[in-house]
Amino acid sequence: MEKKPHFARREFPPREVSSLSLVLLLAAVLLLNALLYLYLNKFYISSGHAEMDSSLCSFGYFKLGAVKNCSPWLSCEAINREVRRLKCVGEGAVKKVFLSEWKENKVVLSQLTNSELKEDFLHGLKMLKALQSKHVVRLLGYCEQQFTILTEYHPLGSLRGLNETLHIPKYKGMNTWHRRLMLAIDYISIIHYLHSSPLGTLVMCDSNDLDKVLSQYLLTSDFHILVNDLDALPLVNRSAGRLVKCGHRELHGEFVAPEQRWPYGEEVPFEDDLMPPYDEKTDIWKIPDVSNFFLGHVEGSDIVRLHLFDIHAACKKKDPAERPSAQEVLDTYRRVLTLLIREAAMPGTREML
C-alpha cells in the first residue's frame, strides 16, 4: 500500500511574526507621517515676511474671481464710474461699509463717516496697501480724495458669526475640533505676520474685548481667516525705544493685558500722559481667550485645550517679557495639530509600539 506523502505544517516562531508586524507597523507610521507632512504643509508654510500666494499680484495690482490676469488698483475715476453700491451692510466709528458690485463681482466699498477720524482711515489704507498677503483682505482700489476703499467681498462676513455659520446645514461638516483648531492657527498666523511684518512689529490695537477682536477678521468661503480692519496698528520699535498705547482712554477688564490697565489704583485719576506704554506682547495675552472661542464645545475640543494648556498658561504670564512670541505659540499649535491628527488616524499606535 502506497504511503501518502506527509506534509508537516510549518509554524513560524512567535518572534518572526512579531518582527514582521513591527516592520509593517513602522512602515505604516512612516507613511502616515509623510502624508501628514504633505497635508499640513499645504496649509501652513512659514515663508518669512512676504508670505505671498499664487492668487496675489505684484504691488498695485489685483485679480478677482476666476480672472487670470492682474488688474491695477481701481482709481477714483474707475470707482465712481464702474462700482455700483447695493446696500449698507455695516457701520463703525470710522467708516460705513456698502455691499457693492464691480463688473458682475460682489465687492465691498468702505466710506469714511467721521471727518475727525480721517487720519485713522488713511492709516488703515496705508496698512492695507503695505501688508497685502495671504493674511490680509484683498485691496481692489481706493480714492484718498473721497476717503473710499474697495476690497474683496466675503459672504460669510466677520468672525462674530462663526458659530451661527457652523450651524447652517451646508457648513455643519466643518464644525469639528480639527477645523476649529485650524482657524485658531490661521488667527495666530496673522498675529505672527503682524509682529514680523515688512513694516516692523505691529500691534493689533482694536482688541479691547472678544467681540471687537472678532469684528476685525473675515471668514472666507473655504474656511480661512483674513484680517480686514487695519485702522489701529501702531508700530513697536524697541531699538528706538518706541512702544505703543492702544488709544487714549482707560482700559478695563481681564481680556486686555495687565500692562494695558491703569497701574496706579483707583485713588489716582486716569491721565493718558501718565499711562506707561507697552509692546506687542499684549496680543499674546489675548490668544487663549480668542482660541477658546474658536475651539467651541464640539467633540474633541477639550482634548485640544488640554494639549494647549501649557502654552496658554505661558501666554497669561503677568510679565510681558515672560510670554512666548507669536512664532513660539504658532509652532506649538502646529505640533498639537500634527499630534492629534496622528493619534486620530492610528489611535493604537503608541500602545502597539
Side-chain angles (χ1 to χ4, degrees), residues 15 18 34 44 46 50 71 77 115 127 130 143 148 175 184 218 230 246 270 313 315 323 326 328 331 342:
R15 183 177 298 174
S18 61
Y44 306 114
S46 180
S71 303
E77 181 183 358
S115 59
M127 295 293 105
C143 179
T148 56
N175 196 17
L218 296 172
L230 305 173
C246 291
F270 176 82
C315 291
R323 295 174 206 153
E328 291 169 323
D331 290 343
R342 182 187 295 127

Side-chain angles (χ1 to χ4, degrees), residues 71-318:
S71 303
W73 287 337
L74 300 185
S75 63
C76 296
E77 181 183 358
I79 291 174
N80 292 333
R81 185 181 65 249
E82 301 172 12
V83 176
R84 183 168 65 96
R85 297 187 187 187
L86 300 177
K87 63 178 180 178
C88 179
V89 291
E91 183 173 2
V94 179
K95 52 187 178 285
K96 187 178 288 189
V97 179
F98 298 89
L99 175 62
S100 305
E101 191 174 55
W102 175 74
K103 294 186 176 181
E104 300 182 350
N105 292 291
K106 293 286 196 305
V107 293
V108 173
L109 185 73
S110 300
Q111 176 80 57
L112 177 69
T113 55
N114 186 346
S115 59
E116 294 180 359
L117 297 175
K118 64 181 181 181
E119 293 303 321
D120 292 337
F121 184 89
L122 293 175
H123 177 74
L125 173 58
K126 177 185 175 182
M127 295 293 105
L128 194 55
K129 290 192 290 184
L131 298 175
Q132 286 293 289
S133 72
K134 68 178 183 178
H135 300 299
V136 179
V137 69
R138 191 167 301 165
L139 178 64
L140 309 180
Y142 62 92
C143 179
E144 286 194 34
Q145 297 94 309
Q146 297 173 6
F147 296 100
T148 56
I149 300 173
L150 194 70
T151 54
E152 188 175 17
Y153 172 63
H154 293 279
L156 295 182
S158 81
L159 286 177
R160 285 190 293 191
L162 174 63
N163 288 323
E164 290 76 11
T165 297
L166 288 171
H167 283 94
I168 297 172
K170 179 181 178 182
Y171 298 111
K172 277 189 175 180
M174 297 286 194
N175 196 17
T176 63
W177 70 262
H178 169 236
R179 180 59 65 172
R180 284 176 169 272
L181 179 55
M182 288 172 66
L183 288 175
I185 291 174
D186 270 0
Y187 167 72
I188 299 166
S189 296
I190 293 172
I191 297 299
H192 171 249
Y193 176 65
L194 295 178
H195 289 185
S196 57
S197 84
L199 302 177
T201 301
L202 300 168
V203 181
M204 193 64 172
C205 265
D206 263 346
S207 57
N208 296 336
D209 57 63
L210 179 61
D211 191 66
K212 187 64 174 174
V213 170
L214 299 176
S215 71
Q216 310 301 304
Y217 298 87
L218 296 172
L219 181 65
T220 67
S221 296
D222 60 349
F223 269 70
H224 285 282
I225 296 175
L226 298 173
V227 62
N228 180 53
D229 196 330
L230 305 173
D231 294 347
L233 275 184
L235 179 69
V236 169
N237 188 339
R238 283 193 185 82
S239 60
R242 180 179 177 181
L243 300 177
V244 304
K245 287 191 286 187
C246 291
H248 303 287
R249 295 180 292 110
E250 185 175 0
L251 300 178
H252 300 276
E254 293 298 315
F255 188 83
V256 296
E259 64 270 23
Q260 292 185 280
R261 302 172 212 152
W262 180 243
Y264 302 118
E266 295 181 0
E267 61 277 6
V268 180
F270 176 82
E271 287 187 38
D272 184 43
D273 290 341
L274 298 179
M275 180 66 198
Y278 34 83
D279 62 17
E280 76 280 4
K281 291 297 184 73
T282 57
D283 290 333
I284 304 299
W285 170 273
K286 297 160 189 173
I287 285 176
D289 299 294
V290 181
S291 179
N292 188 55
F293 167 80
F294 282 126
L295 293 176
H297 300 284
V298 298
E299 183 179 356
S301 62
D302 286 342
I303 298 297
V304 178
R305 287 185 177 90
L306 183 62
H307 280 81
L308 295 172
F309 180 85
D310 288 342
I311 192 68
H312 283 174
C315 291
K316 290 295 188 179
K317 294 282 189 181
K318 187 172 183 180

